[in-house]
Amino acid sequence: MSAAPTLAPERDPLEVLHSVFGHRAFRGRQEEAVRHVVGGGDAVVLFPTGAGKSMCYQVPALCRAGTGIVVSPLIALMRDQVEALRQAGVAAAALHSGLTSQEAFATRMDLREGRLELLYVTPERLASDGFLDLLSGVPVALFAIDEAHCVSQWGHDFRPEYLALAVLRDRFPGVPRVALTATADPQTRADLLDRLAMNDAAVFTTSADRPNIRYGIVPRDNPRRQLRDLLARHRGQSGIVYCLSRRKVDDTAAWLAEEGWRALPYHAGLDRAVRDANQDAFLREDGVVLVATIAFGMGIDKPDVRFVAHLDLPSSIEAYYQETGRAGRDGLPSEAWMAYGVGDVVQRRRMVDERDAPEEVKRVERAKLNALLGLCETAACRRQTLLAYFGEAHPGRCGRCDTCDTPVETWDGTVAAQKVLSAMVRTGQRYGAGHVIDVLRGVATEKVTRAGHERLPTFGVGQDLDERGWQSVIRQLVAAGILLVDHDEHGALVAGEDARAVLRGERPVALRRDPVFRAERGSGRRRDAARPAGIAGEGDDALFDLLRTERMRLAKEQGVPPYVVFHDTTLREMARLRPLDLDTLAAVPGVGEAKLRRYGDAFLEVIGRAIDQGLAAAP
Ligand code: ADP
Ligand code: ZN
């Protein structure tokens, strides 16, 4: 049961949305959630990244009397959110261990004297007795629990400090609580409701789809060239490149830097100061490519990440979706790209096998890995396959994934699979893919002749495919579990469960024909990933760049990330509308009253100058 409304709302949600945040209308289920909380009800908000969860607590906090208390797990995240709110004219502050004692004291004074509309705190701070006592003495508008999946042991970011948040219900009866997260598979979600004592809360969900993200998964061929092609589509834009190991992060970042990109490494093995500086540069500068292990990303709120690349296979579809979900929070076209090869499958399987965990946990992890491999090898629409994994039906043919762009042909690979299996069996299941392929293709290498394998009946039976073709076959057979890779035997291929049935012709094998990389290098068919077409035409690009430069100048002046001044979406719209007066500028989404006063003239000036100089057409 939700608490009955106790306070009449002081401000209207739509008016707040408009005047403070500059948005014209609520999106999706935002309005329902907002009105529910403004009315005093508890809410669980499960929207995907970029859907606009923040409005679901920020607007109610401004509508209701008292201070909104926001629990957030990361100091860096808090800092940016507070800055963004201040820019919008909201009295916001944060309490965390990074403050001096004077700063913390001043913030507590502000809280006590009712000067704060929103206060961000870490979970451990909130749960401390002193702080709860302080809160008991002031009007609290609501509690917002951000990244609420952190309370669940099933989630991937479990934080024991979150468990203490269960006390809020008893200590502050009648104060609405909003729990928000983007990642809530059914298990995590049930656990979250339980642990936060929110089983009576209204739950607001929307589709997990991220329509502005284009998905692409390619067989790894020449990874550096493939990465270079990807980056070329995103010149001047921010992106993340994920690698599995620290060493690969270092090597890749160094190589990209040599190639002239502003690429910086991030992993847990770097000095804290270096790591922080690199993260800061990524957040504050335009066009930084951050090369990172998965140590990077939790709580990163940067809205204009235009691409997320995986150079190695993640552990599961959940992990893949969370990591790629960091692209395009602002709703503008963005790209999720992954290159993978058979080595990844082997490595990931080994990581599971070698984990010190109960067998049933490993079984779940293997199943999750297999689901991810299914996504990689599917000939169907990637979006459809992804959403199906999260229990959502999608009609397919999304038009924004590689398999929709270039439909994948499948072919009957039964005979090819039999050839591989027989070559493998006849060589004693002791050799890796390279040697087996040499035998199939009839290449008498020294290793082949030393073992006498040129005399086998399978020697040379595989002339019909080239080396890359056989690699593709073997990769898919490994992904399907028909072949296994024996780690103790230095990566030897051995027969998997269904191998016998395949050899006997009882199990047909359908394989995908790997798209040739021509498709990827293609002449601009994927250009829309780099240039948000339909939002701004090419003619607006020059003006957009000028507006970005102005934004960077204003951000630098204040030492804040550029996106707290205005998001790309707002600048795009400015470039399209080319307003010449404050009233017209106020109609641009993202331009609230405070920002209009603060920055309006500066941006009008840029637009006017661009028109005078013929860089942009008059509106
Ligand atoms: P989430 O926390 O769900 O990932 P955010 O709250 O950061 O998403 O919002 C994502 C983006 O959507 C931000 O750029 C925000 O300004 C924008 N946004 C949120 N609500 C609206 C709305 N009603 N109209 C227009 N833009 C919105
Ligand atoms: Zn598709």
Side-chain angles (χ1 to χ4, degrees), residues 1 88 251 293-294 320 386 527:
M1 192 214 57
D251 292 351
T293 61
I294 53 166
Y320 171 77
L386 271 169
R527 272 253 296 289

Side-chain angles (χ1 to χ4, degrees), residues 551-560 599:
R551 175 179 68 177
M552 186 51 104
R553 190 185 67 77
L554 291 165
K556 276 228 170 96
E557 212 171 77
Q558 306 170 72
V560 300
Y599 303 123

Side-chain angles (χ1 to χ4, degrees), residues 380-384 394 396-405:
C381 168
R382 304 275 188 205
R383 190 176 309 275
Q384 180 181 38
H394 183 283
R397 294 175 191 268
C398 74
R400 276 159 294 116
C401 75
D402 59 330
T403 50
C404 283
D405 273 357

